[in-house]
Each structure stands twice: as structure tokens, then as C-alpha cells.
């Protein structure tokens, strides 16, 4: 996988202004993201970019109904990067386009973990993940640092041009996530996955974050692991659909891990992830085993080590490309992220954490407005 340092993008102001700043600062990476997904969709589905854009525009109204200002921001991103608005919309619904083409190709992402104060030596809430995806997408990742008007400041490690991914905000919330996939993931227009992620990062409370998941019909299955600096966390496994098609879990032992399969079986859908990615079961076991092994080790340093785990290579917690399969089907850990929600510090490895050092980033300034 190409090793690269992720640029840091700082934006502020109105949605349109933030989008314009985002697009200008991340232009080359946004254009690279469009190129990468054009290749991915052509490989998996035989879709040319015109068909991709035509499918993407069906999500405009669901996004507008969910958070109208997202549309203003996406248009600003496109303008700033000098690309078509439909191109930016398309990469923001990349999960849904993959589902419309071949849902099983979307599932193999990420190992997530949270440790609450009672379970670590620092008495802080610590949350993190390895983000696993197509190796080339490392060339498009940025660290988005945002100061939106009237909403909590936030930071997110995300593919350039997308609304959000993993991150934390000034209200004390932290977010990590896993792709899930069911036999009902068909790419039907509704609120897309990455819009929901951004809705969570715009929330001011844990219940508000849950509301961001439950209130509107979702287009895709996904898992959302959300924590608050005051020592609480909730995990939401969701299938496509409304509030009736999700399951909320609260950590019982002050720590929790999740990978790319449902822990709570659904009654009206099949978990395709168990078929397409059995490594998810192994990664879940390895991280759960680490969490139960010794409370003294569940801190930032211990999590850094746990996220380097190579058991079951190449499909390990620290994932590496499988050289025996075609390049477009390969996966790798794109980034490893750990966040201390009490200090607003992030430890970020810009690639596989086994070879890329974690860099400590101090966001107490950016997140100070709600972080006292």
C-alpha cells in the first residue's frame, strides 16, 4: 500500500463557505478520489461514470430532507475543487453505489473499540479503530478540522470530499464505525451512510447522536460506535430502513469491540458479512480477547499495540493486501485512529500501524468551546 501523509484541512463559517474552503484545500485529493471510485465501480459493476452520477443524484433529496445544509456544503466542495457537483455527490454515496452494484463488496471494513474510565488506567474515555478499505484510497484521505457556524467543532479522518468518517467533536462525542451488509442492501435511495456519520458528529449529546441514526430512513447497513467523554458509550447496529431496523447495545464491562458482522441477529434480514468476510469473526475475537485480558493494558499505548495485531494475516486487525487476489479486491488498513475524548487528543497512524508511527495531535484548542 502506498505510504502517504494525510493533509490537514481547516475550514470554518457557513456550509457553503466551508465547502469552498474544503474543495480548494483538498482539490488534488478530491480529484484522486473520483478517479479511484471510477475504477472501483467499473471493476465491480461495469458502470461508467455517467451511470454512477445518474444513480447518485437520487440521493440528493433524502440528504436534503436529513440535513439541508449538507447540499450547500457539497456544492461548495465541488466549486472549490473545480469538479461537478454530481461527482462530489457520487463519492459521498460510494457505499450505496457499491450496494446497488454488488453489496458483498462493501463489507470488509474496520475493527473498532472503546474503553470507558472504569476499564483503563487514565480514567478517560478512549475510542479508536483501524479503518480498512481499498489500498489506493489512502491517496485521498485528509484530516478535516471544522468550525461550523452554530454547531460543535469537529475533526474527522475521511476521504477527501466526503462529509465525515471517524472523528470527535467539541460536545465530547467520539465516533468510530464499521460497514455492515445485509441481503437487503440494494442501494435504494434514502439517507446515505456518510451523511449519517456527519449527522452524528454534528450532535451535542449521546441521545442526539442516536437521533441522527434513528430519525430518518437509512440507505445502508452500518455499525456506529459512539462514546462520550463523561464515560458512556452506545453501539448501534443498523440495517437499511427506519428506526425499527436497528439494535442499540451499551457496554456491560466498560469496554466494547465491533467488526463487520452483526452481534445481534436480525429477524427479517440475513447478515451477508458473515458469508463475505469471515475474518470479521476472527478480528472481533482478537480485540475482545485483548480487552478482557488485563485492565491495566486498556489505555492508549495498549490500544496502539492491539491495533497492530497480525494474527490471521493478511486478514488481520492490522490488515494487509492479499497478493493472491486482483488489486481492486484487496483491502488494507488505511489509517489507525485513537481518540482520548477527555483531553481531545488524537493518535493517528497514516497507514498500517505496524509500520507507520502514531502521531499525537492536540485538538483541545479546536474543541475548546464545549470541552471545558
Amino acid at each position: 500500500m502506498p505510504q502517504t501523509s494525510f493533509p490537514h484541512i481547516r475550514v470554518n463559517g457557513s456550509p457553503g463557505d466551508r465547502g469552498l474552503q474544503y474543495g480548494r484545500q483538498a482539490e488534488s485529493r478530491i480529484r484522486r478520489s473520483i478517479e479511484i471510485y471510477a475504477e472501483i465501480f467499473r471493476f465491480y459493476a461495469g458502470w461508467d461514470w455517467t451511470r454512477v452520477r445518474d444513480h447518485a443524484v437520487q440521493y440528493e433529496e433524502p440528504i436534503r430532507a436529513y440535513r439541508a445544509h449538507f447540499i450547500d456544503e457539497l456544492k461548495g466542495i465541488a466549486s472549490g475543487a473545480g469538479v461537478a457537483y454530481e461527482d462530489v455527490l457520487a463519492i459521498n454515496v460510494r457505499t450505496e453505489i457499491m450496494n446497488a452494484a454488488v453489496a458483498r463488496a462493501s463489507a470488509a471494513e474496520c475493527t473498532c473499540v472503546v474503553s470507558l474510565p472504569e476499564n483503563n488506567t487514565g480514567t478517560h474515555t478512549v475510542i479508536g479503530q483501524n479503518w480498512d478499505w481499498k489500498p489506493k484510497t489512502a491517496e485521498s484521505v485528509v484530516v478535516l478540522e471544522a468550525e461550523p457556524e452554530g454547531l460543535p467543532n469537529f475533526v474527522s479522518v475521511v476521504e477527501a470530499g466526503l462529509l465525515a468518517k471517524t472523528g470527535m467533536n467539541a460536545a465530547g462525542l467520539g465516533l468510530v464505525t464499521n460497514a455492515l451488509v445485509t441481503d437487503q442492501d440494494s442501494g435504494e435511495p434514502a439517507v446515505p451512510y456518510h451523511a449519517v456519520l456527519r449527522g452524528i458528529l454534528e450532535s451535542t449529546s449521546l441521545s442526539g447522536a442516536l437521533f441522527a441514526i434513528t430519525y430518518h430512513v437509512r440507505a445502508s447497513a452500518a455499525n456506529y460506535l459512539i462514546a462520550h467523554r463523561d464515560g458512556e458509550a452506545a453501539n448501534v447496529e443498523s440495517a437499511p430502513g427506519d428506526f425499527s431496523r436497528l439494535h442499540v447495545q451499551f457496554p456491560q464491562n466498560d469496554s466494547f469491540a465491533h467488526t463487520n458482522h452483526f452481534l445481534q441477529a436480525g429477524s427479517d434480514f440475513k447478515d451477508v458479512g458473515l458469508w463475505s468476510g469471515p475474518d470479521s469473526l476472527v478480528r472481533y475475537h482478537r480485540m475482545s480477547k485483548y480487552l478482557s485480558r488485563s485492565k491495566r493494558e486498556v489505555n492508549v499505548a495498549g490500544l496502539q499495540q492491539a491495533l497492530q495485531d497480525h494474527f490471521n494475516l493478511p486478514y488481520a486487525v492490522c490488515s494487509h493486501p492479499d497478493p493472491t487476489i486482483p488489486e481492486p479486491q484487496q483491502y488494507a488498513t488505511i489509517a489507525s485512529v485513537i481518540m482520548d475524548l477527555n483531553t481531545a487528543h488524537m493518535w493517528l497512524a497514516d497507514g498500517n500501524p505496524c509500520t507507520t508511527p502514531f502521531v499525537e495531535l492536540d485538538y483541545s484548542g479546536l474543541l475548546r468551546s464545549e470541552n471545558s
Side-chain angles (χ1 to χ4, degrees), residues 96-253:
E96 288 69 31
I97 292 172
M98 291 287 278
N99 287 342
V102 50
R104 65 185 177 84
S106 306
E109 290 188 59
C110 310
T111 301
C112 296
V113 62
V114 66
S115 176
L116 302 179
E118 292 81 356
N119 203 46
N120 62 63
T121 57
T123 65
H124 290 179
T125 301
V126 179
I127 187 168
Q129 76 172 103
N130 276 359
W131 170 22
D132 307 334
W133 190 221
K134 307 298 184 182
K136 284 186 179 180
T137 61
E139 301 167 25
S140 70
V141 177
V142 299
V143 182
L144 177 62
E145 303 163 353
E147 300 173 273
E149 290 181 349
L151 293 166
N153 294 351
F154 69 88
V155 57
S156 180
V157 181
V158 62
E159 292 161 280
L162 273 65
L163 289 165
K165 191 77 174 183
T166 299
M168 58 182 170
N169 75 9
L173 292 172
L175 167 67
V176 293
T177 185
N178 311 98
L180 299 175
V181 63
T182 73
D183 60 337
Q184 297 180 20
D185 278 273
S186 60
E188 290 298 314
V191 181
Y193 175 37
H194 289 86
V196 176
L197 292 169
R198 176 61 173 274
I200 294 168
L201 285 178
E202 289 191 349
S203 302
T204 59
S205 65
L206 185 57
S207 61
L210 296 176
F211 185 78
I213 305 169
T214 61
Y215 187 64
H216 288 257
V217 175
R218 300 170 307 279
S220 299
N223 187 75
Y224 308 93
L225 179 53
I226 309 161
H228 190 275
R229 63 172 174 248
D230 289 345
E232 292 291 349
N235 188 75
V236 184
E237 295 180 332
S238 65
D242 63 14
F243 64 91
S244 66
R245 309 196 72 232
L246 53 79
H247 180 72
V248 181
Q249 302 150 300
F250 293 93
Q252 297 301 306
N253 298 308

Side-chain angles (χ1 to χ4, degrees), residues 179-370:
L180 299 175
V181 63
T182 73
D183 60 337
Q184 297 180 20
D185 278 273
S186 60
E188 290 298 314
V191 181
Y193 175 37
H194 289 86
V196 176
L197 292 169
R198 176 61 173 274
I200 294 168
L201 285 178
E202 289 191 349
S203 302
T204 59
S205 65
L206 185 57
S207 61
L210 296 176
F211 185 78
I213 305 169
T214 61
Y215 187 64
H216 288 257
V217 175
R218 300 170 307 279
S220 299
N223 187 75
Y224 308 93
L225 179 53
I226 309 161
H228 190 275
R229 63 172 174 248
D230 289 345
E232 292 291 349
N235 188 75
V236 184
E237 295 180 332
S238 65
D242 63 14
F243 64 91
S244 66
R245 309 196 72 232
L246 53 79
H247 180 72
V248 181
Q249 302 150 300
F250 293 93
Q252 297 301 306
N253 298 308
D254 303 315
S255 63
F256 193 85
H258 204 281
T259 52
N260 300 103
H261 64 278
F262 286 83
L263 300 179
Q264 179 72 23
S267 59
D268 61 344
F269 62 83
K270 295 179 181 178
D271 182 359
V272 178
L274 289 173
W275 166 69
S276 64
D279 60 285
S280 178
L281 296 166
V282 180
R283 290 184 285 113
Y284 174 72
H285 167 71
R286 294 291 291 180
M287 188 57 68
S288 297
K289 183 177 181 180
Y290 159 72
L291 291 173
S292 64
R293 192 168 54 214
S294 171
K295 289 186 178 182
R296 291 179 300 170
E297 297 178 12
V298 184
N299 52 26
V300 170
L303 286 175
Q304 288 179 356
Q305 183 175 3
L307 291 171
Q308 297 175 43
D309 184 35
H310 278 166
F311 179 79
N312 203 47
L313 273 174
Y315 302 102
V317 169
C318 182
S319 175
H320 290 257
D322 183 347
T324 68
I325 62 176
E327 187 275 334
Q329 294 178 313
Q330 294 175 358
Y331 289 84
T333 296
I334 303 303
S336 188
V337 186
I338 300 170
M339 296 166 283
D340 183 324
L341 303 183
N342 296 87
T343 64
H345 282 217
M346 173 186 289
W347 290 261
L348 174 62
D350 295 359
N352 283 97
C354 62
T355 56
T356 309
F358 283 91
V359 175
E360 184 174 357
L361 303 170
D362 182 354
Y363 284 111
S364 59
L366 177 68
L367 307 183
R368 67 182 178 276
S369 61
E370 303 274 350

Side-chain angles (χ1 to χ4, degrees), residues 14-88:
S14 69
D17 288 343
R18 293 198 310 274
L20 194 64
Q21 296 161 30
Y22 187 174
R24 286 173 174 167
Q25 294 178 61
E27 176 183 352
S28 63
R29 293 210 160 209
I30 292 169
R31 289 178 178 272
R32 183 61 181 135
S33 186
I34 294 167
E35 292 172 354
I36 290 167
Y37 281 108
E39 294 174 8
I40 289 172
F41 299 145
R42 186 165 51 247
F43 175 84
Y44 278 103
W47 287 21
D48 64 19
W49 195 246
T50 298
R51 183 174 180 184
V52 169
R53 293 188 356 165
D54 288 346
H55 187 78
V57 297
Q58 299 177 73
Y59 294 88
E60 182 176 37
E61 287 310 311
I63 294 172
R64 191 186 305 277
Y66 181 70
R67 299 282 193 279
H69 61 277
F70 287 0
I71 300 298
D72 295 333
E73 185 167 341
L74 293 174
K75 289 181 176 179
I77 292 170
S79 178
V83 300
Y85 160 67
E86 293 81 5
D87 292 345
V88 173

